[in-house]
Amino acid sequence: MVYKAEKIVPYESNDSPKHIQIEQMFDEIAGQYDFLNHTLSIGLDKYWRKKGILALKSFAPKILLDVATGTGDLALDAYRLLKPEKILGIDISEKMMAIGREKAAKAGLSGIIDFEWQDCTCLQLDSDTFDAAIVAFGIRNFENLDKGLQEIYRVLRPGGMLMILELSSPEHFPMKQGYRIYSNLIPKIGQWASHSKEAYKYLPKSISAFPQNAEMAAILEKNGFSETQFRKLTGGICSRYLARKEKTTN
């Protein structure tokens, strides 16, 4: 199945596949990404990441996979809050991960948090390896959502957990109206700060096109996950999803 979000690309005049365009976009804005991420969310991204990570605390995962890790903020938060033995952050943007490696080294976590270039639709990782997988604000960039979820499912251990944070469109007054106005300002703010008009035109388009809440939960279940749940955060500006890989039966 082809989802609407898979057709949304940063550079509409470019015929390159979506994953190539996403890699190019994030390489282009890597230096300004953290500043803009915190600014455009008014600092709420830090709160959302904390809420997402703490949802895994009772499961006490020891080996974590951070998919679409970007500059590594979620991986760093996961270490601080969960103290796992190992975190592998994967992404297709080497320039984003270079910043993540610097952060991990500064925190004294090199060797505990590692970074690798990986295509999430074709992971070069062993099956049944990770206790939990985490994705923050990156899953809507997948070129093939089903394949990406199936690969995450494959590399999770039986009983392993998946936690996703993704931006979403509020459905009710006054957040709905306020968000609509704000989303029209995002491209202008992003272009001013990053000099990339395409990246921040892509952001609101990709959010509105991505499957949200019950629809996304159903997609997770279609791809093998169970015990799926979602929770709206900050009036629906962000959504958190939790799902489990089935445990093996004797």
Side-chain angles (χ1 to χ4, degrees):
M1 179 178 179
V2 177
Y3 301 104
K4 182 180 177 182
E6 294 170 354
K7 299 178 181 179
I8 304 297
V9 295
Y11 308 101
E12 295 176 355
S13 61
N14 190 323
D15 293 332
S16 299
K18 180 170 182 173
H19 73 279
I20 297 295
Q21 294 197 34
I22 293 294
E23 181 178 9
Q24 178 185 341
M25 180 185 74
F26 281 112
D27 280 348
E28 183 179 320
I29 66 171
Q32 297 80 36
Y33 178 80
D34 284 341
F35 168 75
L36 278 167
N37 205 23
H38 303 328
T39 300
L40 291 174
S41 70
I42 324 173
L44 286 168
D45 61 305
K46 298 177 183 179
Y47 165 75
W48 295 330
R49 283 195 298 272
K50 183 176 180 180
K51 293 291 286 186
I53 292 299
L54 287 177
L56 296 174
K57 194 170 182 64
S58 63
F59 301 102
K62 297 300 181 186
I63 309 295
L64 278 170
L65 177 66
D66 181 14
V67 180
T69 187
T71 61
D73 277 351
L74 187 67
L76 288 161
D77 287 345
Y79 181 79
R80 295 186 190 106
L81 295 169
L82 301 177
K83 294 295 188 292
E85 296 172 2
K86 191 80 173 176
I87 301 174
L88 176 62
I90 62 170
D91 207 289
I92 58 173
S93 171
E94 285 288 359
K95 289 188 177 180
M96 294 280 278
M97 287 191 291
I99 296 170
R101 291 185 184 101
E102 290 178 6
K103 291 179 183 178
K106 187 175 180 180
L109 296 174
S110 297
I112 296 175
I113 302 178
D114 290 328
F115 296 85
E116 282 185 15
W117 190 98
Q118 290 272 354
D119 179 348
C120 66
T121 64
C122 187
L123 295 175
Q124 303 303 301
L125 299 169
D126 292 337
S127 300
D128 305 329
T129 299
F130 297 92
D131 300 313
I134 51 180
V135 196
F137 317 120
I139 202 162
R140 72 180 184 282
N141 300 322
F142 284 14
E143 186 171 67
N144 188 311
L145 179 58
D146 286 336
K147 281 187 177 179
L149 290 173
Q150 288 161 17
E151 278 292 272
I152 293 171
Y153 187 92
R154 178 182 66 80
V155 302
L156 281 173
R157 290 177 177 166
M161 297 297 298
L162 169 61
M163 187 284 295
I164 297 170
L165 289 169
E166 192 49 84
L167 298 171
S168 47
S169 303
E171 298 174 344
H172 303 293
F173 178 86
M175 278 293 192
K176 180 178 180 179
Q177 287 72 16
Y179 179 77
R180 186 177 299 164
I181 294 169
Y182 184 60
S183 65
N184 290 327
L185 295 174
I186 288 173
K188 297 176 183 178
I189 299 170
Q191 183 180 4
W192 168 77
S194 71
H195 308 293
S196 175
K197 182 179 180 181
E198 291 84 359
Y200 291 93
K201 282 177 62 180
Y202 167 78
L203 177 60
K205 288 181 180 179
S206 65
I207 294 169
S208 62
F210 191 75
Q212 298 179 10
N213 301 312
E215 183 182 2
M216 182 59 187
I219 291 170
L220 287 165
E221 291 173 359
K222 183 187 80 168
N223 285 288
F225 289 94
S226 62
E227 300 179 34
T228 305
Q229 56 181 277
F230 65 89
R231 179 180 177 184
K232 299 178 185 180
L233 304 175
T234 318
I237 297 174
C238 178
S239 295
R240 185 193 70 195
Y241 304 89
L242 286 176
R244 185 191 290 273
K245 178 175 179 175
E246 289 282 5
K247 295 180 179 179
T248 53
T249 55
N250 297 324

